[in-house]
Amino acid sequence: MHSSELIFHVRPGGHMSGRIRVPGDKSISHRAIMLGALADGVTEVSGFLEGADCLATLAAMRALGVGIETLGQGHVRVHGVGVDGLKPAAAALDLGNSGTSMRLMTGLLAGQAFASTLVGDASLSRRPMRRVTEPLRTMGAEIDTTADGTPPMRIQGGGALSGIDYDMPVASAQVKSALLLAGLYASGETCVREPAPTRDHTERMLAGFGYALSRTGDRICLRGGGRLRGTRVDVPADISSAAFFLVAASLAPGSDLTLEHVGVNPTRTGVIDILRHMGADIELLAAREVGGEPVADLRVRHAPLRGVAIPDALVPLAIDEFPAIFVAAAYAEGRTTLTGAAELRVKESDRIQVMADGLQACGVTAVPTADGIVIEGGAGRLRGGTVNSHGDHRIAMAFAVAGQCAQSPVIIQDCANVNTSFPGFVELAAQAGLDIEAAAGVDT
Ligand code: S3P
């Protein structure tokens, strides 16, 4: 199905209440499959996100010779083949819309004895890959891309990799993870220095699989040639999916919603800090640690929000949540400004431009800048209207929750990719109190 075919219709009214559990964390789900595949022995994954992105990683690993059982309701059993056990795939690996699959797999496959080709959909085929190919080439990898540095990726394999000490120019967990995965196959030590903290699921999970690595300040190092031991991975609910409900419940008067078992790794909680800074009432309950990752239930109640200048330091810690945060800003009293977020322009869509266009279509003054946005917010500013998500899952869901407090309905086009990260979004949002319907639209 072409992704333009799915349209969301959201009618204003109601509020968010009850207890819900959003699907599993996308970043952790990808890594559980990859590390489980490379481990010796079996890895049992629970809470796995059965969305298209993580299923693309799963299919790619199967194509590389790994036995993976999907047992339903997020239970996945990975029969690890060991770091040296992958086999060449019979065809190009299609990673769909998933940047995480493409960048992490590039690092992982650079160290194999065989060649691989990675392809993706139209959006993924526009995304920058030099950030991984350049340092991987320095390690000795041979990788071809288009002249623009975009996919398809042709990874030669077969060459020897050597460890590097790399200063990342952009704060990117995908680049860090790609280099650490290649580092498993490199001679000597591979070190990555990050300019700002980024999600550290790869580091935590490598440790959980018994692989030694060290962090000193902003530098993470590991030595190649070790082995991983199969283990259990309990994937918490994705804070990036929870974010839409944190915003929705903050905005709608009368809301009192609890999101269960959400991952609250400190490298991911920027959205909570930013919303609290705006005045949101979010409580972390029953904080605990599950399999090396912090988890809590999040209780969110309606509260009036005010516009803020978002601190630059929080940007990498909330990088996927800005579409939702921009919606909060549209209803918050006063001006919200974001800077230092040029990375948003190279996500699944140009999230600065596409969000600005959508907010403007709904009557909000939103001015894009080179590396951020300025939003003039207030109650009643978001009138309603028709917006195009450009096939970007998070834009579609952000405008869906925007509809609850709008003056008139919000109609969102091109929503099928919501399934990449949040299968069942429409049903769960309706259960929590959103008046939403999905309908087949006209293909464009
Ligand atoms: C991810 C890292 C982030 C994030 C993406 C998932 C990961 O990308 O936006 O959705 O799982 O490592 P960058 O590394 O490009 O910031």
Side-chain angles (χ1 to χ4, degrees), residues 419-434:
N419 193 44
T420 61
S421 68
F422 201 146
F425 169 74
V426 169
E427 295 74 13
L428 199 64
Q431 183 193 322
L434 190 66

Side-chain angles (χ1 to χ4, degrees), residues 319-376:
I319 193 68
D320 291 335
E321 289 69 69
F322 284 107
I325 292 167
F326 293 173
V327 166
Y331 287 104
E333 217 43 64
R335 174 178 295 173
T336 292
T337 53
L338 172 68
T339 55
E343 274 295 301
L344 292 181
R345 292 198 177 272
V346 291
K347 293 293 179 189
E348 287 83 328
S349 70
D350 176 344
R351 287 186 174 159
I352 291 176
Q353 192 60 50
V354 174
M355 282 303 298
D357 290 347
L359 288 171
Q360 287 162 12
C362 290
V364 178
T365 304
V367 182
T369 62
D371 66 346
I373 196 164
V374 180
I375 297 170
E376 306 293 343

Side-chain angles (χ1 to χ4, degrees), residues 48 50 55 58 62 68-73 75-77:
F48 176 76
E50 287 160 357
L55 291 173
L58 193 151
R62 277 186 178 148
I68 306 177
E69 297 171 73
T70 46
L71 303 164
Q73 294 184 327
H75 182 189
V76 177
R77 183 173 296 141

Side-chain angles (χ1 to χ4, degrees), residues 25-28 30-31 53 99-101 103-104 127 131 170-177 198-199 201-202 240 268 316 319-320 343 346-348 351 393-394:
D25 188 277
K26 183 152 76 71
S27 294
I28 298 176
H30 282 297
R31 288 157 170 83
D53 277 12
T100 307
S101 309
R103 297 203 178 106
L104 270 60
R127 295 184 64 186
R131 52 184 63 198
V170 280
S172 165
Q174 293 179 352
V175 175
K176 172 176 66 175
S177 302
T198 66
R199 65 192 70 195
H201 306 301
T202 302
S240 299
R268 296 286 298 283
I319 193 68
D320 291 335
E343 274 295 301
V346 291
K347 293 293 179 189
E348 287 83 328
R351 287 186 174 159
H393 55 137
R394 300 204 199 280

Side-chain angles (χ1 to χ4, degrees), residues 157-181:
L161 301 185
S162 23
I164 48 167
D165 194 343
Y166 188 64
D167 241 323
M168 276 197 298
V170 280
S172 165
Q174 293 179 352
V175 175
K176 172 176 66 175
S177 302
L179 299 182
L180 293 176
L181 289 170

